[in-house]
């Protein structure tokens, strides 16, 4: 029997993992610059956590099962709901605003294709208790800062507010279930499907036409004037528009004006309530969206108090693919910098001692663990692409010395055994 990995999953080898760890470390560093602290939630939760208000699309894709006690559980399909649950369990009385970030794998049973997998990774943050639009502005600026730090080019941040469309639907007296269907269609970007759906409704044509025009609006600040003219008689939509204007003012004030107002953003999760945004990299084709987020009321839906919350998550795998597609240079550290090579079996233990001292000094070091002949040791060091080889020979040791070889220049020199750590520390860290 040939064992294969499950469909929709991947194995990551050494080079890819080094790149992923670098990107992960960079994102962690930027999150923490903004005062966010890391949390970790379980891989599986009660099924109801995700079926209550996650949206029909995700509910159908949930990996769910019963444990031996008959409890209905699910592998997490996203991470915002677990964060809300964690807040309700442990942090309701904590001083606000609360800033937290996370990194972890999620699972959805969907058809595997380019950019879509059944196990995937998300890295994101949640800001609970911050007042909008200030909180929303910081969260969006944080997302942009992360991508700029990675050197990703040509990304677009599209920003909208669900309250504008909700205001029109409420004024047109569209039922809540129908609103959910409409928002799901808008989220897919299917204009024709939307108009076909609206044809079968008793809604006035003026509302239908307004919806079609609104979801097609994209641009900079000038778009807001068009929206205001269209919804001036709708107080809810006007309120949402004013929220959006306030958010854009915050972004402009911090020097980030490279955004696109896009009222066709609806997001696939039902718990988003106001500002929403998505980040696109068009070189990825159909899977161009690498991040999404916004303001949500999930905590109140789960039985907590009403508290403003804003967050977003990067599709980590898509960020990696975007960096790959653009050929972005990632300054990866060397895996091994020094190889300690015992010239003969009798100096093997001394080689172990030298390697340990180098590691204690923070220098990534390997030594021979396979009993290779001397020529093969140098070949192995070449394959490892080390900077230096420490040649440990019996005669040199009698003089209290070892030979240090620079693998780039080929030059060799004798170094006192007691000085080898200092010499290599200076050269690898200088």
């Amino acid at each position: 029997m040939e064992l294969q990995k499950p469909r929709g999953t991947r194995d990551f080898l050494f080079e890819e993992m080094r790149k992923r760890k670098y990107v992960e470390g960079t994102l962690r560093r930027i999150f923490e610059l903004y005062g966010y602290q890391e949390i970790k939630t379980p891989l599986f939760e009660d099924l109801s956590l995700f079926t209550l208000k996650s949206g029909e699309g995700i509910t159908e894709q949930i990996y769910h099962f019963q444990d031996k006690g008959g409890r209905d559980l699910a592998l997490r399909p996203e991470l915002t709901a677990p964060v809300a649950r964690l807040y309700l369990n442990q942090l309701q009385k904590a001083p606000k605003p609360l800033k937290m970030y996370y990194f972890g794998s999620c699972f959805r049973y969907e058809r595997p294709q380019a950019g879509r997998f059944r196990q995937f990774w998300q890295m994101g943050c949640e800001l609970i208790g911050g007042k909008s639009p200030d909180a929303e502005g910081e969260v969006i600026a944080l997302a942009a800062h992360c991508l700029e730090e990675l050197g990703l080019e040509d990304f677009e941040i599209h920003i909208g507010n669900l309250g504008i469309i909700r205001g029109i639907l409420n004024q047109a007296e569209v039922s809540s279930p129908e609103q959910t269907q409409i928002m799901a269609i808008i989220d897919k970007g299917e204009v024709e499907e939307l108009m076909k759906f609206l044809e079968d409704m008793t809604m006035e044509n003026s509302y239908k036409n307004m919806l079609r025009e609104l979801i097609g609006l994209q641009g900079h600040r000038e778009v807001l004037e068009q929206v205001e003219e269209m919804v001036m008689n709708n107080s809810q939509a006007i309120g949402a528009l004013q929220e959006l204007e306030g958010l854009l003012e915050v972004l402009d004030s911090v020097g980030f004006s490279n955004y696109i107002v896009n009222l066709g953003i609806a997001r696939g999760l039902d718990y988003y309530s106001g500002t929403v945004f998505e980040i696109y990299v068009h070189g990825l084709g159909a899977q161009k969206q690498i991040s999404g987020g916004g303001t949500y009321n999930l905590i109140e839906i789960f039985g907590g108090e009403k508290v403003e919350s804003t967050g977003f998550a990067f599709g980590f795998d898509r960020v990696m693919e975007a960096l790959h597609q653009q050929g972005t240079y990632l300054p990866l550290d060397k895996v091994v910098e020094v190889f300690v090579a015992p010239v003969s079996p009798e100096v093997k233990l001394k080689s172990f001692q030298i390697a340990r001292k180098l590691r204690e000094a923070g220098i990534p070091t390997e030594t021979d663990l396979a009993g290779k002949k001397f020529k093969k040791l140098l070949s192995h060091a070449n394959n490892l692409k080390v900077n230096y080889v420490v040649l440990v020979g019996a005669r040199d040791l009698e003089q209290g010395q070892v030979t240090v070889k620079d693998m780039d220049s080929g030059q060799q020199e004798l170094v006192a055994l007691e000085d080898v750590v200092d010499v290599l520390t200076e050269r690898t860290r200088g």
Side-chain angles (χ1 to χ4, degrees):
M1 180 180 69
E2 184 179 0
L3 297 176
Q4 297 286 341
K5 64 183 183 297
R7 189 164 184 251
T9 64
R10 293 156 293 163
D11 296 315
F12 300 111
L13 292 180
F14 312 121
E15 187 71 13
E16 181 64 18
M17 280 306 303
R18 289 176 66 208
K19 293 176 181 177
R20 291 173 73 92
K21 292 293 286 185
Y22 172 81
V23 173
E24 175 189 341
T26 300
L27 297 181
R28 286 180 187 276
R29 177 168 56 82
I30 302 303
F31 283 144
E32 290 174 7
L33 283 177
Y34 284 71
Y36 287 78
Q37 299 184 75
E38 187 176 13
I39 58 167
K40 190 75 74 175
T41 62
L43 280 173
F44 58 90
E45 301 264 6
D46 285 337
L47 176 62
S48 60
L49 181 67
F50 303 111
T51 56
L52 183 63
K53 206 65 179 176
S54 281
E56 183 179 348
I58 286 184
T59 301
E60 293 176 351
Q61 298 168 355
I62 289 177
Y63 276 91
H64 60 89
F65 58 96
Q66 282 194 340
D67 67 7
K68 294 182 179 181
R71 289 171 284 264
D72 290 312
L73 302 174
L75 297 179
R76 61 190 185 198
E78 50 91 17
L79 279 156
T80 300
V83 170
R85 192 267 309 149
L86 179 150
Y87 170 82
L88 286 169
N89 289 168
Q90 302 186 55
L91 296 171
Q92 290 192 71
K93 295 182 180 179
K96 297 178 182 61
L98 279 168
K99 292 182 170 183
M100 56 191 79
Y101 77 91
Y102 52 78
F103 177 67
S105 55
C106 301
F107 305 84
R108 295 183 192 174
Y109 190 84
E110 56 184 347
R111 183 172 65 84
Q113 53 186 297
R116 283 189 179 272
F117 303 95
R118 290 178 176 174
Q119 181 184 14
F120 56 96
W121 278 258
Q122 288 187 349
M123 191 161 193
C125 68
E126 309 295 338
L127 174 54
I128 299 175
K131 294 297 183 183
S132 298
D134 300 350
E136 296 166 344
E138 179 178 281
V139 166
I140 294 173
L142 165 59
H145 190 169
C146 287
L147 299 179
E148 290 168 352
E149 192 73 10
L150 289 173
L152 189 67
E153 300 176 348
D154 300 327
F155 64 87
E156 296 179 352
I157 298 186
H158 289 233
I159 304 172
N161 191 301
L162 296 178
I164 297 172
I165 293 177
R166 292 283 189 189
I168 294 170
L169 295 176
N170 288 334
Q171 192 174 56
E173 299 183 344
V174 177
S175 68
S176 180
E178 287 177 322
Q179 287 196 28
T180 297
Q181 290 179 276
I182 290 171
M183 299 303 278
I185 297 171
I186 293 174
D187 180 54
K188 293 189 295 182
E190 298 289 346
V191 178
E192 291 184 7
E193 183 181 345
L194 174 64
M195 298 315 294
K196 186 177 180 180
F197 182 84
L198 295 178
E199 281 179 9
D200 298 329
M201 299 180 61
T202 57
M203 184 192 305
E204 293 180 12
N205 287 333
S206 59
Y207 291 122
K208 296 178 183 180
N209 294 332
M210 192 183 303
L211 283 173
R212 179 167 190 163
E213 188 173 352
L214 272 175
I215 64 174
L217 282 178
Q218 289 190 29
H220 207 59
R221 294 289 290 268
E222 71 279 357
V223 169
L224 302 183
E225 295 179 6
Q226 295 176 254
V227 177
E228 185 175 10
E229 291 179 7
M230 296 169 62
V231 302
M232 63 175 59
N233 295 321
N234 187 310
S235 59
Q236 181 181 349
I238 285 293
L241 179 61
Q242 291 171 346
E243 290 177 3
L244 182 55
E245 289 176 334
L247 167 59
L248 301 185
E249 287 176 1
V250 172
L251 292 176
D252 290 340
S253 72
V254 297
F256 180 74
S257 58
N258 187 28
Y259 53 77
I260 295 173
V261 176
N262 182 350
L263 299 183
I265 299 175
R267 304 292 296 134
L269 300 169
D270 287 351
Y271 49 69
Y272 286 103
S273 56
T275 293
V276 287
F277 69 94
E278 295 180 348
I279 305 178
Y280 306 137
V281 178
H282 290 282
L284 298 181
Q287 309 305 328
K288 65 181 180 180
Q289 184 186 328
I290 65 169
S291 180
T295 296
Y296 59 90
N297 60 1
L298 195 55
I299 291 169
E300 184 181 13
I301 291 171
F302 285 170
E305 80 278 24
K306 186 173 183 178
V307 55
E308 292 186 59
S309 305
T310 303
F312 78 95
F314 286 118
F316 190 81
D317 306 276
R318 294 189 188 177
V319 172
M320 294 302 304
E321 180 61 21
L323 292 169
H324 173 72
Q325 291 285 346
Q326 294 186 5
T328 306
Y329 170 71
L330 301 179
L332 305 179
D333 292 332
K334 284 211 170 190
V335 178
V336 182
E337 295 186 63
V338 175
F339 184 75
V340 181
V343 174
S344 57
E346 59 265 28
V347 298
K348 176 181 66 175
L349 297 181
K350 192 63 179 178
S351 297
F352 290 164
Q353 293 173 14
I354 295 170
R356 177 177 176 177
K357 289 180 180 179
L358 289 168
R359 290 164 179 160
E360 288 174 344
I363 301 173
T365 303
E366 275 202 30
T367 188
D368 179 42
L369 300 175
K372 295 180 185 293
K373 300 295 185 181
F374 180 66
K375 288 185 178 179
K376 289 189 175 181
L377 285 177
L378 290 180
S379 176
H380 184 57
N382 260 325
N383 291 335
L384 291 173
K385 300 179 180 178
V386 298
N387 295 325
Y388 299 94
V389 172
V390 178
L391 300 168
V392 183
R395 290 183 182 179
D396 286 345
L397 286 178
E398 289 176 2
Q399 304 299 317
Q401 298 175 320
V402 291
T403 298
V404 175
K405 180 174 183 176
D406 186 318
M407 295 300 283
D408 289 330
S409 67
Q411 294 181 343
Q412 297 183 178
E413 64 175 306
L414 286 170
V415 175
L417 190 58
E418 62 192 33
D419 295 333
V420 68
V421 172
D422 291 339
V423 167
L424 288 172
T425 298
E426 181 180 349
R427 294 183 183 178
T428 58
R429 299 291 178 263

